[in-house]
Amino acid sequence: MRPRSVLFLSIGLLSWNPSYALTLTPGQAWNDLPIPVCFEDPQQEHRQDRQQIRTSVEQSWAKESAVKFLGWGPCSDGSRGIRIRLNKEHPNTIARGRQLDGLEDGMKLPKLWSVAALSINAKAAVHEFGHALGFGHEYARSDAPYQDACGITGKDGRRYVEHDLPITTFDFDSIMVACVADATRRFSIGVPKLSASDIYGLVKIYGSAPDNILDADEAGDRFGHSLAVGDFDGDAIPDLAVGAPGESLAGSDKMIGAVYLYKGDDVRGLRPWGRLVEEQAQGFGSIVHAKQLDDDNRADLIVGSDDGVLRAYRGQSRNPPKRWGDPQPALKVAPVVGQTLITVDPFDLEGPWNDIDFGHVSVKADLDADGHEDLIVAAPKARIGGQPSGQVFVYRSPETNHPWKERPENFIPWYRFGQAY
């Protein structure tokens, strides 16, 4: 079956050819959650180090997925889970995933060298916990798009390669990228953040965090019937509004409709943000349109419903758009229709895609603030868990601002999500 063509303005004809990366060591994902964590020989003077490790991990891997960790106290004979030793050596994890279960000194993390090293200590802990969850190094994938591997070679003199299972495309921003030119420097500054691909791979293996689930998947919601991109909170990074005019509220069969909001992030891509509903509406979200209605440098959101009414939501700093004024009679608010075809294919899809309405609507936006526009394509009849709930597919731009990286020829499948993100 041929890929589906999507109408959009001013893009050339492209085809989709997948390339994979964020990797998982085969068979080593943890089956039993939560995962116990303990410290070998915990000393009072290292209390701050232990707290920093716990906070960094819980604000990254645990926050973005169903993974949970428990304990964080002293290890004892027979302790299960991840056993951590603090020392002055470089960070190291001696096994991957559930192979670590109960291994004494299974993970070694550095003591805090100085306040200046606070960032790299925090990121080192998150990186090593990525290995503890079963994930490999980005730089060590077999088809990494560069030759220099930081001088790391195998016994045969060739570049070191880890033959793990591919989950996502190669990601320069991954917390698992480790030693790559410029990424190594970036690793030593800022707070630890999982990238969009990290989060996608993590959720695919371990499931989504409850706080990231905006709604349940229900038949006929038509999630993705409409799309709008705008900087609703004024942080200079585009956000996404997705209409689901078939949504019904709990305890009712009436198709009230809803609009789902995703906040843009320069590293993590789109994050679940909130849901807009109007109980008096019918088919709310059949039209969504981003437009600046005032002079506050934030986009505002216009939402149309099947009953011929438009409602305006004012952009706010840090928070999702808020209802602004009374409903108005519907105007003609139509999306821009392009004249150029691009060719992309749904990826990681449940079942056949010839009847999911893929390409019903599409938009472009620079979702990761790298200076190049990414592609968002809706499929409002796509299935999740057997239910025709609707999905949205995000393709990363083929351009790059990382000069060492080979430029791919196509938009790269990035991640896809439905209402249960």
Side-chain angles (χ1 to χ4, degrees):
M1 185 175 295
R2 298 181 62 185
R4 179 65 59 87
S5 296
V6 179
L7 274 176
F8 208 87
L9 188 64
S10 67
I11 318 180
L13 182 64
L14 302 172
S15 62
W16 177 59
N17 181 23
S19 171
Y20 296 103
L22 182 64
T23 56
L24 179 73
T25 303
Q28 296 312 317
W30 293 78
N31 296 324
D32 299 324
L33 300 175
I35 302 170
V37 180
C38 66
F39 291 92
E40 315 275 12
D41 187 27
Q43 300 176 25
Q44 178 61 26
E45 60 264 35
H46 301 144
R47 181 176 59 85
Q48 181 181 353
D49 304 68
R50 295 193 298 272
Q51 184 58 50
Q52 181 199 48
I53 292 167
R54 178 175 182 175
T55 299
S56 299
V57 171
E58 290 185 338
Q59 291 299 310
S60 53
W61 300 113
K63 183 178 181 179
E64 298 291 357
S65 74
V67 171
K68 291 293 178 285
F69 301 95
L70 59 77
W72 299 98
C75 296
S76 59
D77 291 341
S79 287
R80 302 294 301 273
I82 302 168
R83 300 179 60 153
I84 303 171
R85 171 78 65 181
L86 296 181
N87 56 28
K88 295 183 179 180
E89 301 174 11
H90 289 289
N92 179 43
T93 303
I94 64 174
R96 295 282 174 85
R98 59 181 181 174
Q99 290 178 332
L100 279 173
D101 192 6
L103 286 183
E104 188 174 351
D105 293 351
M107 181 185 295
K108 296 177 182 177
L109 293 174
K111 301 172 185 176
L112 183 60
W113 303 322
S114 67
V115 173
L118 188 63
S119 175
I120 194 167
N121 274 61
K123 289 187 176 180
V126 176
H127 177 92
E128 296 303 324
F129 265 79
H131 292 320
L133 291 173
F135 300 121
H137 289 107
E138 289 285 275
Y139 76 88
R141 52 176 294 197
S142 60
D143 59 343
Y146 53 88
Q147 297 301 317
D148 179 17
C150 306
I152 300 176
T153 58
K155 294 180 180 179
D156 58 0
R158 298 181 180 180
R159 181 172 68 86
Y160 171 66
V161 173
E162 297 170 349
H163 298 284
D164 292 335
L165 298 175
I167 303 175
T168 69
T169 55
F170 178 85
D171 183 13
F172 178 86
D173 295 316
S174 171
I175 196 71
M176 305 308 297
V177 76
C179 61
V180 172
D182 190 51
T184 307
R185 179 189 62 81
R186 292 175 57 188
F187 190 86
S188 65
I189 58 177
V191 298
K193 274 188 177 183
L194 302 186
S195 72
S197 291
D198 289 338
I199 295 168
Y200 172 73
L202 174 68
V203 169
K204 185 171 182 180
I205 300 302
Y206 289 103
S208 185
D211 289 345
N212 284 346
I213 298 175
L214 298 182
D215 201 357
D217 302 314
E218 300 164 331
D221 285 346
R222 295 154 60 201
F223 179 84
H225 179 84
S226 55
L227 299 174
V229 169
D231 181 11
F232 299 121
D233 57 355
D235 65 355
I237 301 174
D239 310 304
L240 176 67
V242 180
E247 172 67 50
S248 57
L249 301 181
S252 172
D253 294 331
K254 183 180 178 182
M255 293 184 179
I256 300 295
V259 174
Y260 294 86
L261 299 167
Y262 297 84
K263 177 175 167 51
D265 186 280
D266 59 349
V267 173
R268 297 179 297 167
L270 294 170
R271 310 303 311 125
W273 203 13
R275 184 182 77 156
L276 302 176
V277 294
E278 293 285 349
E279 295 189 13
Q280 304 304 315
Q282 181 177 345
F284 180 75
S286 59
I287 294 173
V288 291
H289 187 67
K291 184 177 179 64
Q292 190 166 329
L293 300 175
D294 53 15
D295 58 357
D296 64 359
N297 294 318
R298 293 187 293 266
D300 306 302
L301 180 64
I302 301 170
V303 181
S305 53
D306 290 341
D307 52 11
V309 174
L310 287 180
R311 293 172 175 83
Y313 294 79
R314 189 173 190 174
Q316 306 183 88
S317 296
R318 295 182 294 277
N319 297 315
K322 184 178 181 181
R323 174 73 176 277
W324 191 23
D326 297 324
Q328 300 293 324
L331 305 173
K332 290 288 184 181
V333 183
V336 175
V337 177
Q339 299 177 351
T340 306
L341 287 176
I342 63 171
T343 304
V344 290
D345 200 5
F347 58 96
D348 190 30
L349 185 67
E350 178 184 310
W353 60 265
N354 58 324
D355 60 349
I356 64 174
D357 215 5
F358 181 76
H360 169 82
V361 64
S362 60
V363 293
K364 285 196 302 179
D366 182 8
L367 298 174
D368 53 359
D370 68 350
H372 304 287
E373 290 187 311
D374 310 301
L375 177 66
I376 307 163
V377 181
K381 296 181 182 178
R383 294 178 175 270
I384 305 176
Q387 302 288 346
S389 311
Q391 293 179 5
V392 172
F393 297 80
V394 182
Y395 301 82
R396 199 170 195 179
S397 169
E399 303 294 334
T400 176
N401 59 359
H402 304 312
W404 53 265
K405 181 179 175 182
E406 293 179 359
R407 177 177 296 181
E409 297 178 354
N410 320 303
F411 275 85
I412 306 168
W414 202 6
Y415 54 90
R416 61 99 176 138
F417 53 90
Q419 284 170 270
Y421 184 70

